[in-house]
Structures are given as structure tokens and as C-alpha cells.
Amino acid sequence: MQLLQMLRDSVNVELYTRHLSRLEAKARELSGTIKSFVSENGLPLIITYSSTGFLPASLTYWFTLVMFEDKYPIRADFPTVTYQLLVYRPQDPIVGYAPSVTASVINALRTATLLGNKMVVLTGEIQDPRLDQLLRNYRVVSAGSNVFETALIQAMSSFHAMADLSRDKLSRRGARLLEHSVEGFAPVAKDLVEKYVEIVEWIASRKKLSIISTEIMECGAQYTGEVLSTLGIEAVNQRPGSRPLHDAVLLISTTVEDLYLRELESDIKKTGIDVRELVFNTDPLEANVYLSLLAYYLYFLKKMLSGGVSEPASR
């Protein structure tokens, strides 16, 4: 209840905007790493991830798939890439996203090096000096003090890098995405919160919630579900067409998918379940970042209640 009372407080929104500005500054630094790596090694990419790294990995995947129509990226988790793909694709460059460096990440780095694949991994803060020393043999960059902060920094990094790389693609679309990248996400955070505050309040007041999204919004929907779980909400992500497990359903999509959204909504409403929509009137390639900003606002408020919000750490 206390968190719900904080949502509309202009002071909290201002604090969030400032915090987000600092995260985005770090994200712009990291975007240079992604951009230079892709420029040096070319496309197509193998895009790999673990845990909340699914968010930035999917942003990179969809950007490449849509904006570079003759290049077909592969998106898979670290173990799949290591044990199933690399032996057959010894030349493809790899971009990896992870909240922390696990054994699966290290195995992927070692295998890629052995087979001759160029690889870069973005991860969260590295605190173990021995691990830090080990990773100096590889191309690894880090930022973020927790899984949600790290994923958001990486997501913005991915967007800024890919928007720059595709600036001249698909006519006006590439130029428009670059304009939005230059503008940044922090300057529009206040307007974003104000526009969607009612649906965010509804979400935060649920005890149980089924989240169903269109495919391109899946990564942001998963990130949202994981944030809600930290708030004590029993949130479950479900595939479109599946029977909702809870009596409250959040449908997430973009305006270009309106006809499909109406189809999904109609099927669910027949069951008498409470259905709400979270629809973004923007390019689908950036919509997941906006969705993640709303979810992270809830996490930010939770951190405020528990005693503070850290600044992004980096290696």
C-alpha cells in the first residue's frame, strides 16, 4: 500500500528521472562497445544470454532481424550456444548479456576463443578479484549493481548501439529510431510515468497476475514479471492462447498489433476474467525499453522503501 501511495508523488518521479539519467549515461558508454564490436566483426550475430539478459539480447535480436533484412541472427542461451551452435558456426561473432558471470558464461567465452569466434559479453558488477583477473583475458564489460539495474542498462545500451548502426536502414524508420536514441529515455521518463500511472497502479495492487504479451514484447513482459515477483506479486508469464492461471490478466502489445490484441482480449474476456491492456504507441523496437522503464520504476520505489538506491558500478 505504501508503494502505491508513492507512485504519483512528483518528488519520487523526479528522483527516478535523475537516477535513470545516471543509468543511461553508463548505458551510452557501453553502447560504444557493442557498436564497435559489430562494426569490426559484421553480421549476422549469435546473441546469447542468461536470466534477465534475455531483455537486452532480445532487443539486439529484433533490431538485427527487422532492420538488417538479409542478416539472420541467432538468439539462444549460453549453454545452447556453447554446446549446440559454436562448432557449426566458427566464424560468427557473438554478443552476450548476463546479470553476472557464471560457469556457463565462462564456458562460452573459452569455447568461442578455442574455435576462433569473436565474442563480447556485457555483465553486472564483478566483485571477486580472482574472477576479475580471469576475465581480463576476454572482452567483458560490466555495469550495474543488481540484476534489474544491469538488465536495464544493457537494454538501453543495446538500443542506442543498434539505432546508430541502422540509422540509414528502412528509409525513415532508421532515422526516426536514431532521433529517439539521441533524445534518450531519461528525458521522457516523467511523461511515461504520468501517461501509464493508472495501469501501473492496477498492476501493483494485484496479488496474482497473468502476463500475456505479443511475441516482440515477450522480453519486456518477462522482465516485468520478474520485477513484480520481488514486490510479492505472484506474477506468471504465459504464452498467447494459453488459459490464464489467475483471475487478473495484463495484455502487453504495441498499437501496430491492435487487431491481434483484440483477438487475444476477446478470447480471454469470454471467461469473465479481469483483463487490462498495456499498449505502447511507438516503434515496437523501442517499446520494450519503455515497458522496462515502467517496471523498473516499481523496483526503484521498492528500493527507496528499503533504504536507498545504488549508483551503477562499472569495471
Side-chain angles (χ1 to χ4, degrees):
M1 183 61 67
Q2 190 174 357
L3 187 144
L4 286 172
Q5 295 171 346
M6 298 172 69
L7 277 169
R8 293 178 182 262
D9 191 318
S10 60
V11 174
N12 293 333
V13 176
E14 178 61 27
L15 289 173
Y16 178 58
T17 300
R18 293 178 186 176
H19 177 70
L20 187 60
S21 294
R22 291 187 283 270
L23 298 189
E24 187 163 25
K26 187 60 190 176
R28 289 194 185 278
E29 292 180 28
L30 296 187
S31 70
T33 298
I34 301 172
K35 186 171 65 174
S36 63
F37 180 82
V38 175
S39 298
E40 292 166 9
N41 298 287
L43 299 172
L45 293 173
I46 295 176
I47 305 160
T48 187
Y49 63 88
S50 66
S51 184
T52 50
F54 182 64
L55 172 62
S58 296
L59 286 171
T60 305
Y61 171 81
W62 284 109
F63 241 110
T64 308
L65 188 66
V66 172
M67 302 302 287
F68 298 87
E69 64 273 17
D70 58 339
K71 307 294 183 182
Y72 298 100
I74 293 175
R75 178 188 56 182
D77 63 17
F78 281 99
T80 301
V81 167
T82 301
Y83 301 118
Q84 307 295 335
L85 298 177
L86 286 189
V87 68
Y88 303 110
R89 297 176 178 271
Q91 302 303 318
D92 290 1
I94 309 163
V95 177
Y97 300 94
S100 61
V101 178
T102 62
S104 293
V105 175
I106 295 173
N107 286 340
L109 286 164
R110 286 174 170 165
T111 304
T113 301
L114 180 64
L115 296 177
N117 297 78
K118 301 297 184 181
M119 185 173 188
V120 62
V121 173
L122 279 70
T123 186
E125 178 184 359
I126 300 169
Q127 297 180 332
D128 185 338
R130 293 171 298 178
L131 180 59
D132 183 73
Q133 185 63 38
L134 170 66
L135 294 175
R136 293 186 187 279
N137 297 319
Y138 305 101
R139 195 167 181 176
V140 177
V141 291
S142 64
S145 60
N146 61 71
V147 294
F148 299 116
E149 180 178 286
T150 297
L152 185 60
I153 290 173
Q154 292 175 355
M156 291 188 289
S157 298
S158 171
F159 178 84
H160 290 317
M162 299 309 295
D164 196 6
L165 289 167
S166 58
R167 60 169 65 202
D168 59 348
K169 299 293 182 179
L170 301 186
S171 186
R172 179 61 186 160
R173 187 176 186 182
R176 185 172 60 251
L177 287 166
L178 180 61
E179 288 174 3
H180 292 179
S181 171
V182 172
E183 179 185 11
F185 293 104
V188 301
K190 179 176 180 291
D191 292 338
L192 182 72
V193 171
E194 290 176 350
K195 179 177 181 178
Y196 291 101
V197 67
E198 289 188 10
I199 184 65
V200 173
E201 286 177 332
W202 180 83
I203 294 168
S205 65
R206 301 303 95 190
K207 293 183 178 179
K208 298 181 179 182
L209 182 66
S210 289
I211 303 173
I212 299 175
S213 71
T214 55
E215 186 170 357
I216 201 169
M217 296 300 296
E218 180 185 14
C219 60
Q222 284 198 16
Y223 179 86
T224 299
E226 290 169 352
V227 169
L228 295 179
S229 294
T230 70
L231 305 180
I233 298 171
E234 189 178 325
V236 57
N237 289 89
Q238 297 186 239
R239 300 289 295 176
S242 59
R243 181 177 179 80
L245 296 177
H246 299 311
D247 59 5
V249 174
L250 176 66
L251 288 179
I252 302 174
S253 74
T254 62
T255 51
V256 299
E257 302 165 304
D258 185 65
L259 288 177
Y260 183 42
L261 179 67
R262 299 280 79 79
E263 176 187 335
L264 294 175
E265 183 180 39
S266 175
D267 289 343
I268 296 173
K269 281 188 172 180
K270 290 177 183 177
T271 65
I273 290 175
D274 186 9
V275 183
R276 303 295 173 96
E277 301 173 2
L278 182 51
V279 182
F280 294 90
N281 183 24
T282 188
D283 192 301
L285 293 177
E286 59 189 336
N288 277 293
V289 182
Y290 291 121
L291 172 57
S292 303
L293 293 178
L294 291 175
Y296 188 76
Y297 180 49
L298 290 172
Y299 183 75
F300 175 83
L301 295 178
K302 174 180 177 288
K303 292 285 286 183
M304 285 183 63
L305 285 172
S306 64
V309 178
S310 64
E311 295 310 315
S314 62
R315 173 175 178 267

